[in-house]
Amino acid sequence: VTDMVHGVPPFPHVRETLEKASEKADMIVVSATPCEALEREWAEHDLAKYVSIIAGQEMGKKAQHLEMATDGKYPPEKVLMVGDAPGDMKAARANGVLFYPIMPGHESESWKRFHDEALDRFFSGTYAGEYEDALVEEFLASLPETPPWKK
């Protein structure tokens, strides 16, 4: 990742979403990517200012990151994990928190929906339940039967 990823901008609507969310939320990055690459990418695009912690693979598993950042600090319905992989959803479920899926192949549309609709629902307390369930169902249906790296 360190050698390959340079100058790749974030998806459309990511910056606007982080700006909007940062007005009301504490945010962290949890990732299986090495810390050095994450810190470089987030700094390169001036996004690091929106998050408190950038936690990469050296700091543990995603579920551990969520637990350390939220346990005893926030009720589960006030925590939302945004992710693009089944492992992200698994980490959210392991901590009993909400999950917003970024749909594979439809990342720009997913970030726009998050910015325009889902984030407001989260803040107003109307995200959990039917709305989240429908997004997760759509996410699961969008996953390929065979991951591209196994073809």
Side-chain angles (χ1 to χ4, degrees):
V1 173
T2 301
D3 295 333
M4 294 172 42
V5 180
H6 294 280
V8 178
F11 287 108
H13 310 290
V14 168
R15 180 178 312 283
E16 299 85 349
T17 301
L18 292 173
E19 287 173 8
K20 182 178 179 180
S22 70
E23 295 172 6
K24 296 182 179 180
D26 298 324
M27 295 184 292
I28 65 170
V29 175
V30 297
S31 178
T33 300
C35 289
E36 182 281 326
L38 290 169
E39 289 170 358
R40 181 177 36 77
E41 289 174 31
W42 281 71
E44 178 182 346
H45 300 289
D46 196 31
L47 300 176
K49 65 186 175 190
Y50 298 114
V51 298
S52 303
I53 298 169
I54 297 177
Q57 65 184 15
E58 300 89 343
M59 297 173 75
K61 304 249 182 239
K62 292 175 185 180
Q64 294 170 313
H65 297 162
L66 278 175
E67 181 180 7
M68 288 186 287
T70 64
D71 193 38
K73 298 174 189 121
Y74 305 96
E77 70 276 6
K78 297 289 186 183
V79 179
L80 178 63
M81 168 81 162
V82 176
D84 64 357
D88 298 327
M89 186 171 71
K90 184 177 176 185
R93 296 298 183 243
N95 283 277
V97 303
L98 304 172
F99 177 67
Y100 178 82
I102 302 298
M103 307 299 170
H106 300 279
E107 290 85 359
S108 295
E109 298 92 333
S110 295
W111 280 104
K112 181 169 178 28
R113 175 167 47 188
F114 187 51
H115 178 274
D116 293 349
E117 180 181 297
L119 187 58
D120 292 330
R121 289 186 72 114
F122 172 69
F123 286 139
S124 70
T126 62
Y127 182 86
E130 288 182 25
Y131 183 78
E132 180 186 23
D133 293 346
L135 291 174
V136 167
E137 187 176 313
E138 181 183 345
F139 174 65
L140 293 174
S142 75
L143 297 174
E145 287 188 32
T146 304
W149 62 88
K150 288 189 175 185
K151 290 182 179 180

